[in-house]
Amino acid sequence: MFDETFIAMGIRRIAIIGSGIAGLTAAIKLKEQGHDVSLFEKSRGPGGRLAAKRVANGSVDVGAQYFTSRNPEFLPFLTRFAGNSSFTTWDGQFGFQGKDGQWQEFPDEPRYVGIPRMTAVSRALSAHVTVTAETRIERIVRNDNGWVLSDRAGNVQAVEFDSVIITAPPAQARDLLVQSNLPEQAAYLDDAVTRVLPCWAVAAHFKETPWPRHEGMRCDHPSLFWVANNSSKPGRKGEDQGGRGSWWVLHASSEWSQRNLETTPDQVAAELIAAFRELTGSDLMATDSVTHRWLYARSEGGSSPGHLWFPEQDIGLAGDWLSGGRVEGAFDSACSLVSAYVATDASR
Ligand SMILES: Cc1cc2nc3c(=O)[nH]c(=O)nc-3n(C[C@H](O)[C@H](O)[C@H](O)COP(=O)(O)OP(=O)(O)OC[C@H]3O[C@@H](n4cnc5c(N)ncnc54)[C@H](O)[C@@H]3O)c2cc1C
């Protein structure tokens, strides 16, 4: 009876795998179209690479540092579904280092951050949808009623889904398609898998400001790619230890991260903090640090089709890697997949 009513009303049951910005955007937009949407997330909470790590008195953003809003639909979407209180602009000096080692200023454009951490945005978005966390989907199999999802623990979801949307990074998405005996669809991801690069992230606390010139900077250094003063972001004051000092985020270059994939976190922290001191000429010692290894951090190069949609199988893929990388790319990709989905729906 329930299913018949669903069919009569054109409501489709859609499973979305991954609750980063792409998964959350697709879920909210498809729910707005009247569909019955369920999100599955392998981690403890939503957000994906919008990630923060706990430190004394607060947290530090170890994944995406900020986002832009060049697509005029992005800010209105965030304002409507995440609310103005979950994000704001991060003002300050942003620079990059030329080949000659000299610092130049970044182009002036608004940069946005979640408050008090990047995950505030994903958390607020996730309030509009149903997220089943700590559930890594390993296989999807089609029966007469639709797609059946099973997770790593061998549990099978009780409901069959009309459509499945995968928003995991390409290596994880391809594994899932291969496990699900969908080699043709998996082959579309072969090139993208090779273009996603790892990144070691270290957050280090200093009692005094080691570098007053920039709040965020892209470096031309063999081991460092990006450095930011996390405590300069709005809403982070409580992270100072005893009201003094600041937390700095150091992201290693892709090449260095690749070479040091198996280096211990302590050694990574020691090397990147030493590189930071060398870069800034500061002799300050870090008083605390935390480390995170991203196996799939950034996509570089390649084509940007926006999304992948296989209407015969009712399977779609979205994610930053399909739309130029970055937070905003994840949003753009989800929007373009939803448009394709709605167009197919209209012609069914
Ligand atoms: C170190 C670093 C710095 C960055 N800096 C910036 C920046 O300054 N500005 C910017 O715009 N972008 C930045 N980015 C990129 C930005 O974070 C991403 O582009 C964006 O967050 C990707 O969103 P997404 O939804 O496509 O993927 P993700 O956020 O990766 O979401 C995918 C989700 O799928 C889940 N998942 C994977 N496999 C499964 C499975 N089998 N079952 C269930 N769940 C699964 C994952 O746990 C994850 O939550 C940075 C990224 C990193 C790592």
Side-chain angles (χ1 to χ4, degrees):
M1 176 60 190
F2 183 65
D3 274 355
E4 282 168 15
T5 312
F6 262 41
I7 292 164
M9 294 175 71
I11 300 172
R12 294 175 67 75
R13 290 158 310 180
I14 305 170
I16 300 187
I17 299 172
S19 66
I21 284 292
L24 290 167
T25 302
I28 289 172
K29 290 199 159 240
L30 288 165
K31 196 177 160 195
E32 268 206 307
Q33 296 286 324
H35 296 299
D36 181 33
V37 182
S38 306
L39 270 153
F40 298 92
E41 170 55 52
K42 72 177 171 58
S43 303
R44 269 184 299 174
R49 280 170 277 163
L50 286 190
K53 241 182 151 82
R54 292 255 162 233
V55 294
N57 300 328
S59 58
V60 180
D61 302 321
V62 290
Q65 298 292 292
Y66 64 84
F67 54 89
T68 52
S69 178
R70 295 166 193 165
N71 176 343
E73 287 178 23
F74 192 32
L75 270 199
F77 174 85
L78 289 181
T79 303
R80 180 167 167 212
F81 292 104
N84 276 332
S85 59
S86 73
F87 69 96
T88 191
T89 49
W90 178 26
D91 301 319
Q93 294 298 313
F94 298 87
F96 67 94
Q97 208 176 13
K99 286 280 163 223
D100 55 2
Q102 296 302 306
W103 291 102
Q104 300 174 44
E105 302 312 306
F106 262 15
D108 204 16
E109 73 174 322
R111 296 175 175 82
Y112 299 90
V113 293
I115 32 177
R117 58 191 70 89
M118 290 301 275
T119 47
V121 176
S122 43
R123 194 153 291 278
L125 292 177
S126 72
H128 298 275
V129 288
T130 310
V131 183
T132 305
E134 298 188 88
T135 304
R136 181 195 277 260
I137 302 301
E138 285 224 320
R139 198 155 174 257
I140 58 172
V141 176
R142 198 168 200 166
N143 70 17
D144 290 344
N145 297 320
W147 288 104
V148 179
L149 276 58
S150 29
D151 67 23
R152 178 172 252 185
N155 302 314
V156 176
Q157 298 299 317
V159 182
E160 284 108 350
F161 294 94
D162 300 307
S163 319
V164 177
I165 289 177
I166 305 171
T167 67
Q172 292 164 327
R174 187 178 64 172
D175 282 354
L176 176 61
L177 291 167
V178 169
Q179 293 293 328
S180 307
N181 205 17
L182 292 160
E184 231 175 88
Q185 287 71 26
Y188 278 87
L189 282 67
D190 287 347
D191 175 54
V193 168
T194 63
R195 290 187 286 104
V196 181
L197 305 167
C199 176
W200 271 108
V202 172
H205 183 265
F206 295 90
K207 281 195 171 147
E208 286 158 49
T209 298
W211 180 254
R213 184 162 167 193
H214 294 114
E215 275 70 45
M217 52 200 196
R218 205 172 63 215
C219 324
D220 184 42
H221 187 276
S223 52
L224 283 176
F225 170 75
W226 166 261
V227 171
N229 179 354
N230 195 79
S231 302
S232 73
K233 294 180 177 179
R236 269 83 171 166
K237 293 275 181 273
E239 282 131 33
D240 296 5
Q241 293 181 339
R244 286 177 299 121
S246 47
W247 279 94
W248 287 70
V249 174
L250 320 175
H251 284 161
S253 65
S254 312
E255 300 74 24
W256 190 91
S257 300
Q258 188 73 52
R259 271 202 318 279
N260 287 278
L261 268 189
E262 302 309 325
T263 304
T264 63
D266 283 351
Q267 185 62 26
V268 166
E271 290 197 29
L272 293 187
I273 291 168
F276 179 46
R277 296 175 69 206
E278 177 193 290
L279 182 84
T280 57
S282 164
D283 56 4
L284 291 174
M285 303 297 284
T287 51
D288 196 0
S289 68
V290 290
T291 308
H292 185 83
R293 185 184 70 170
W294 293 100
L295 281 181
Y296 313 115
R298 275 184 281 267
S299 293
E300 278 183 12
S303 63
S304 284
H307 66 269
L308 293 174
W309 173 231
F310 304 102
E312 274 180 35
Q313 288 75 22
D314 244 312
I315 292 178
L317 286 97
D320 65 333
W321 57 279
L322 285 155
S323 196
R326 304 163 69 250
V327 173
E328 209 180 343
F331 171 79
D332 293 345
S333 174
C335 293
S336 81
L337 177 60
V338 170
S339 297
Y341 189 93
V342 170
T344 304
D345 228 17
S347 64
R348 277 187 220 270

